Structure formats: structure tokens, C-alpha cells
Amino acid sequence: MPRIPLTWLGEHVELPATASALEVATDLSRVGLEEEALFGAQVTGPLVVGRVLELVKEPQKNGKTINWVRVDVGPEHNEDADDPKDPQPGEERPSRGIICGAHNFVEGDLVVVSLPGTVLPGDFAIAARKTYGHTSDGMICSGEELGLGPDPDGEDGIIVLGRGHAKGLTAEPGDDAIALLGLADEVVEINVTPDRGYCFSMRGVAREYGHATGAAFTDPASEVAITATEAGGVPVQLRDEAPLNGAEGCTRFVALEVEGVDPAAQTPRWMARRLTLAGMRPISLIVDVTNYVMLDLGQPLHAYDAEKLVGPITVRRARKGEKLTTLDDVTRTLDPEDLLITDAGGPAGDRVLGLAGVMGGEDTEVSSGTTSIVLEAATFDPVTVARTARRHRLPSEASKRFERGVDPQLPLIAAHRAAQLIVEHGGGTVSARVTDEGAVAAPAPISAGLHDAERVVGIAYTDVQVITSLEAIGCTVAREGEDGLLVTPPSWRPDLTIREDLVEEIARLVGYAEIPSVLPTAPGGRGLTVAQRGRRAARRALAEAGLVEVNSAPFVAGSVHDRLRYGTDDARREAVRILNPLSEDEPLLRTELLQSLLPTARRNLGRGEESVAIFQRGSVFRARGGQGAAPVPAAAQRPSEQELEAILAALPAQTGALAAVVGGASGPDSWQGEPAPWGWTDALDLARRAAAAVGAELEVRQTERAPFHPGRAAELRVHTADGDSRVVGAAGELHPAVLKEFDLPARSAAFELDLEAVIAAAPAVVRAVPVPTYPPAKEDFAFVVEESVPASAVEAAIVVGAGDLAERVHLFDVFTGEQIGEGKKSLAFAIRLRSGEGTLTAEQIGETRRRIIAAVESAVGGVLRA
């Protein structure tokens, strides 16, 4: 995101003398440039110039030598000589005593002193403190401590006026050093949308500030003096034999030579300071000038060492197998779509110099010994640059601008501006021979109507507002008939291609605040759908049970299927592979929510949590048989019905799932002792809670299913409208191997539900249950049945036996052991009986017990346990 120092912005547009970063950001937001961050003055408080009066070197026991210094910081800030805070070396006079460990200064030097109350970058507050046996009443500052970066002369230590950061500066003791060093600059960082690449420059932002406030704007491009030039510069050939989408990779290429540059010339302090404030690191004069002009005008530049360059320069597409070592010292294998800058310097007369519009190469890099350079300023195809930058994962400041569109009228202007700055601060001469290869296509005019903005936006704009708004952004406007306009966009606005773009500009410049906010009236009978209410109810039920909701990404590694012990023919292995995954390690879409939820549980435990109780509602995806890649329709018109059907058919099957993982202690320790650990019964209860919250009831059957423990897993079913039942999930204790794989606590459990299927199974109408007027009778039964008999079958037989008196049947215990017999299990049920006609008698309860026992024996062969 561009960072805009206010002092730099003020060179191109009139800023109020008292304008703050917040005020400028507010003004820019009116024209659609959103504030990303504000940076106030880096240093606040009393930062002053001081003169070193006396300096005493004091060796310390640790081997260091410190300086005990008396500094004159001006009458306003000096201590009274009659009442100093610490004994002074030498003659007593008004001054401050300061401890300093640097040794690059002597008596008489002017230095920068932060007095108590100063706040340096990093929120570092200065105060008087006792150290090395003295009271240090302030601090003598270095460039690093003031946020100025390393000393440009390579000198370690503090700032001395006249050298390094303060070269060419002078002052008197007590003068304000914040203003002297330019440390009061405020900076606005803005968010620029992709269609407004011209705002990646001070030129563009200053123009927008003028639109927002009416302040006078001066185009810096119009102030560049272009001297008389002649042909015959570095020969350039534009040879794009494979244009992307019919667009030439390079439409204009300017090459300008500068000779006799002093290789030891330093970047001027003001320029280095501005680059730092804008978020770029000063490197050398030539490189810094190209970056400065790019930030100022918006035209990326590249400098070649002329002595290493062998003409002609050729702009072409890469050949298969070609390589390039870019300036970041990475050797890259090039793609035939990459646009290259080459010359004749290679062994075969063909050498790659750089990736056009992205980054240059090492072979012709400007170095500390460079005296002659060739400046490149070109116009490259945005699509080509964007694809190259993403293909090589090489975003650069140049590519950010080229892929959004750069003003094609700028190359010659920017090259001359950079050459003039280099000559001004580094000497040398600008060659009169300039290469300007290619042509600039004029922007296509757009036909529009005077009332288009009113039709689209919904408010009436006057003819004057329409025309002046378009002219303000640089358009040429001609009348066509009574209500027609022929609008030619400016060269710096490649985003203006259709009349709707012009409507947006009119609405923006007249002001978004002028567009009234009208809250539509919601029609009656609308609101959340049944499915939406069900999803919210299920999540709320788990949150009320003490679980924490998480949101894991749906991308998983291929190895997760083995880690969860899926069988080789398990349908959950049929995952969709993403063509361009965010991470090469996770190229698949999850087919089960636990595939991403278990790693989330592991991550939480790895960061200090001692137990886990988390849940998530999210989508799961299954590949369709024979599914291929979705077709890509043309962008010129709406896809046909056949194309839409083909796209939908290629999408994976998708549903919404709900899953939870619990393990470790179920609560905090207390005076009552350690809490019970989470277990498989808790997972089963949580699944039932979620289903009950949406109005459905789960049927539980024993099963064996990965990733659960054999014998401790339950299959979860719901009854469908046709009277059948359908599997909608599973719950139970996780397999020991899975627990080890994910480093989860012993006996951790989980469940997963197809939440959409559960919601669909819930009855549309909930029957009202009458309030009982007679007391219930409670009876417990324990039946011994074969291990293969599901508890739901026994429960159904009990309901049949009890008839209308059965109000509630609840399984509360399952027992196996020698007492029961091999292949047998005991199922204990709590049954509540109630009659709507009167209080049940002992005879009625006894008869009901006999019917229940007989029904269970008849249906499943169950015997009442003695």
C-alpha cells in the first residue's frame, strides 16, 4: 500500500499549513482512497542541537570506555551552573551532563540531544537516569535511534552536524533538531483498488486530493524539462512473437544514457529521508533516483551499467529452458509467456537481462563502480507482467504499477527527470541521443449520455456537474447531439473504458455523501430460513455445552487419509485436488470435517492448552465420478445455459457438516478434586444435543468406522419421511493410533454430523405436548441380549410394550462381562410412565411391566436381568 509523506504530497498540491495525517486521510476517503494506517511524527518532545563543551573518557571495569560529556543545549534547556545535577568536568558553565558510549565526536562538535521527555521511534521515552556513577540528563542520538537508518557515509556512532545524516546542516545550541532533520513528517498509508493504479504515485494522490478539496494541483510531469534530443541511442528491438490475448508485451521503450557519474556520490539526505518514509530502503544514488521518480510520477525505471550492456536491446518472449539470476540472487527457470529484456552480450550473442516490468538481472546490475548508465522507461502489458510476477512469486514495486496500468506518456518524461537528478547530485552528462521505440495508442473515446449518471445512481446531476467532473479527472469532453457526450479518457486512466466507468467518476467527484441512504422496507413473512435457524441452533447448543467454535481452512494434505486410518476403498479418499492451492502441502479439499479439525485441536494443545473442547460447522466436498475441470466461459457475454450446467456439473458435491473434538479434563480443577475427563459418551451426548436443537432425534447403533476405536464407535441415524432411516454421522472414542498421530489426550472423542441432512429430517411442524396433570411412575429395566442387537431395537420394543403410557425411555447403562455371558450384553433403561386419565395404580404399573418384558423377549430375545 502506498505511503504518502505529507511534505512530499505538498509539493504537488496545496496543503493547509496545519494539515495533519488524519485530516488528509479523511479528505482522500471522500474520493475513494481508503486510509490503511497513519504514521505521526517519529520523534516528539525536546530534541535539540547541542555543542560538546567538555569530554572526559572514563574506562570501566567491563573493559568499555564511556564518555562523560558536558553539552551546551541552549539557555532554555541548560542546567544552572550554580546548581548542577552532577559534578562537571572542567570549567563550570550552564550545560547538561550526559553519558555517551560513541567515540566519533570531539569537543566543539554540534550533536543532536534528546532531553528528558523526548519520545524516540519505538515509543522509547527519554528520562534522566543514574548510570556509570553519573546522572545522564538526556541522550546524544545516532541516526538509527532517530529512525534515519544507517549513516550514509558508513560512519558508526552519533549524528554530528555537517557529516553523514546531517551533511550540509548547521545550527546553534538549543535549536529544534526535529525540524532540522525533517523528523516531523506525518505519513498516510492508503489502500488503492486495482483499477486505480495511477494512485501508486505522489502525482496521482495529489491529483485526487485536489479533487477532494478543490486545492490547486500542479502536475509534476509538466514541470520536467525535456532537452532537445536526437535519434541514435542504444538500439532497441521490440519482438513479441507470441502476444498474450493479442496484446503486445511492450508498446513503448525509452532508453537514455547518462555518462561520467561520480560512483562515490551519495544520495541527498532529503531524498533518502523521503524514500524511507515511503517504505523503501535507500541503496545508492542511481538506484535511489530511479525509485524516487517511480514513487513521484508512477513510472517504474531500471538502470543498466552501460559498460556491461551490449546492444541491441531486444524485448521478446522467453524460450523454453532459459534461466535468469535476478537481483534477489535467485536463479529462475523462465516460462515461454515471460517477457524478457535481452542484449547481445551472451556467449551466443543473446543474453537475458531481466524480467520485463518485474525485476532486472545480475549481469548488468549497477554497482559501486558504475560511472555510465542506461535508463530504461517502458510501457509493458499489464497481463503479461501480472502473470510473470505471480508465476515466479516475485512481487516488486515495478510490477505492482505495471499490472495496474502505467501512463504511456510518462516514459520519456520519467527518464529525463531521473537523468537530471542523477546529474544534479552525482555529476555527469545526459546524452543527447535517446531511443524511443514503439508507439503510444490514443485512448478510445467513450459515447455517453448526459443523464446516464442519473439513471444509474438515482439522483439528478446537472449538465455542469457531469461535464466538469469528467474534465476534472483529465477527460476531453465533446457534445454529441442534444444529450450525448463523446468522452476521451486521459492517458493515465486505462480503467476508463465504458460509460459506467464515467458514471462512477461523476458520483465519486460530486460526492458519495450526496447519494441518499434509503433503507428498504423488508416485506412481511421473510427472515431466516429453516436451514439457517437450524445451523444457528446447533452451534448455540454446542457453545452452551462449553465447547469453543473454531474455523479451520478446508484444505488438507493427501497424507491425512492415512493418518485417519481410512481403508483403501473408503469413499472419503475421493477428494478434489485444487489446481492452484494456497500451499503445495495441502492441495486437497476435505471430505470430512475431522480432517481439518483434528490438526486444529493438535495446534491448540501444542500452544499450551491442557485439554480440548472445540467444534466447527463447515463445508465438506466429495469428487463426482468422472469429474473434469470446469469450462471457462468467455467474458464478453453472459454464459449460456449449457455452459452454466457444465460448470455446475464439474463442481464437487458439497454439504454442510458439524463436528466436535473433546479430550482431557472436562473442566478446571477445584476443591472438589479433578474434573472427569471427556469421553465417548460425551461425544454421543453432544451429537444428540445438536440434533435436538434443530428438532431431530438421532438413532444410535454400534459400528466400526475410522477414525474411531473399534467397539467404542456409534453410527448416527435419522428417520426419513418415508419411514426409513439414514446414516448422518458417527461418534465415539478416537482410535489410539489416531490419538498418537495428532498428539491428543488419551481417550479423546469426537463426532461428525451431516448437519444439512439432520435439519432436513426434523419435522416441519412440532407437535405441542399437553402439560401433564397426573404424576409419573418410574421403572428401571435391565435386559440381557445378544451383542449384535442394537439398543434402538430394544428401545422400540419397550415403547410397543408400554403403549400409550410410555412418556420417556432412556438408555443409561451398557454392561458386558463374565456375569452376563460370552456374546451377551446388558442394556439398562429408565422408563417414565404416565396416564392422561388418572394416577397409575400398582396393578396398572405391574401389567405394563409384564407387557414390556414380553415385548422385548418376543422382538429381540431379550431376558430381564436378575
Side-chain angles (χ1 to χ4, degrees), residues 70 79-88 92-93 95 97 137:
R70 298 302 303 188
E79 295 175 4
D80 189 345
D82 296 330
D83 185 25
K85 291 185 179 178
D86 213 357
Q88 304 182 35
E92 292 188 0
R93 67 186 93 174
S95 58
D137 204 15

Side-chain angles (χ1 to χ4, degrees), residues 448-464 466-467 470 479 482-485 499 503 506:
L450 276 169
H451 303 295
D452 285 348
E454 179 179 350
R455 176 178 56 83
V456 174
V457 180
I459 62 174
Y461 293 104
T462 66
D463 294 358
V464 173
V466 170
I467 294 173
L470 294 176
R479 296 294 291 262
E482 184 177 348
D483 293 326
L485 298 175
R499 59 183 179 179
V503 169
I506 294 167

Side-chain angles (χ1 to χ4, degrees), residues 67 95 170 204 214 266 526 562 577 704 761 815:
N67 296 311
S95 58
T170 186
Q266 296 292 324
R526 302 291 177 87
D562 293 329
R577 182 173 294 273
E704 289 192 10
F815 178 76

Side-chain angles (χ1 to χ4, degrees), residues 29 62 108 121 199 224 230 308 314 397 450 452 465 475 495 501 538 587 611 635 652 681 688 762 779 816 831 846 851:
S29 69
N62 59 9
C199 288
V224 178
E230 58 187 60
K308 301 176 184 177
T314 302
E397 292 297 327
L450 276 169
D452 285 348
Q465 286 177 316
C475 294
D495 58 304
D501 295 332
S611 61
T681 56
R688 281 175 161 161
E779 296 290 327
T816 58
I831 303 171
R851 290 201 307 269

Side-chain angles (χ1 to χ4, degrees), residues 3-16 198-211 213-224 270 274 291-298 410 413 417 421:
R3 292 188 176 188
I4 313 299
L6 298 194
T7 52
W8 194 349
L9 183 68
E11 287 191 356
H12 305 326
V13 66
E14 289 184 2
L15 284 178
Y198 65 96
C199 288
F200 270 86
S201 67
M202 301 298 161
R203 178 196 188 206
V205 176
R207 180 181 281 111
E208 289 300 312
Y209 183 81
H211 295 333
T213 63
F217 164 69
T218 303
D219 190 347
S222 66
E223 297 186 326
V224 178
W270 63 267
R274 284 187 172 179
N291 286 334
Y292 178 81
V293 173
M294 175 184 69
L295 294 175
D296 195 39
L297 300 180
L410 277 178
I413 296 171
R417 174 61 173 151
L421 285 170

Side-chain angles (χ1 to χ4, degrees), residues 4 60 98 150 184 322 327 445 594 639 716 747 753:
I4 313 299
Q60 304 297 312
I98 298 175
E322 280 189 298
L327 291 175
L594 288 176
L716 306 177
R747 313 301 290 271
L753 287 173

Side-chain angles (χ1 to χ4, degrees), residues 58-62 66-70 85-89 97-100 129-137:
E58 298 183 352
Q60 304 297 312
K61 294 180 180 178
N62 59 9
I66 60 97
N67 296 311
W68 172 226
V69 188
R70 298 302 303 188
K85 291 185 179 178
D86 213 357
Q88 304 182 35
I98 298 175
I99 291 292
C100 183
R129 63 190 183 95
K130 190 82 170 180
T131 180
Y132 293 106
H134 299 283
T135 298
S136 185
D137 204 15

Side-chain angles (χ1 to χ4, degrees), residues 605-808:
L605 292 166
R607 293 181 178 177
E609 294 294 331
E610 296 180 354
S611 61
V612 62
I614 59 175
F615 76 95
Q616 179 178 358
R617 193 204 73 81
S619 296
V620 295
F621 311 83
R622 296 284 179 90
R624 302 181 194 267
Q627 174 180 314
V632 180
Q637 67 278 330
R638 183 183 184 276
S640 66
E641 294 300 325
Q642 292 77 12
E643 287 175 321
L644 291 174
E645 288 178 6
I647 292 171
L648 292 174
L651 295 177
Q654 178 178 337
T655 188
L658 179 70
V661 178
V662 292
S666 60
D669 291 346
S670 69
W671 61 272
Q672 293 177 315
E674 295 182 0
W678 292 101
W680 69 269
T681 56
D682 297 304
L684 188 59
D685 180 62
L686 291 169
R688 281 175 161 161
R689 275 176 180 255
V694 303
E697 187 174 353
L698 295 179
E699 180 183 331
V700 180
R701 296 185 184 179
Q702 191 171 10
T703 189
E704 289 192 10
R705 172 188 171 95
F708 297 103
H709 192 299
R712 298 176 188 169
E715 179 182 84
L716 306 177
R717 289 174 169 265
V718 292
H719 289 281
T720 58
D722 57 5
D724 200 359
S725 67
R726 172 187 173 185
V727 178
V728 293
E733 183 179 314
L734 292 169
H735 194 285
V738 174
L739 297 179
K740 183 177 180 182
E741 186 71 38
F742 291 95
D743 295 327
L744 299 179
R747 313 301 290 271
S748 291
F751 81 82
E752 179 155 352
L753 287 173
D754 181 344
L755 186 58
E756 302 305 312
V758 174
I759 293 172
V765 178
V766 179
R767 292 181 179 274
V769 178
V771 177
T773 56
Y774 298 101
K778 299 178 181 179
E779 296 290 327
D780 291 344
F781 295 84
F783 292 103
V784 177
V785 296
E786 298 290 332
E787 278 192 326
S788 60
V789 175
S792 58
V794 179
E795 181 179 334
I798 292 172
V799 172
V800 170
D804 293 340
L805 298 182
E807 183 178 86
R808 184 170 181 269

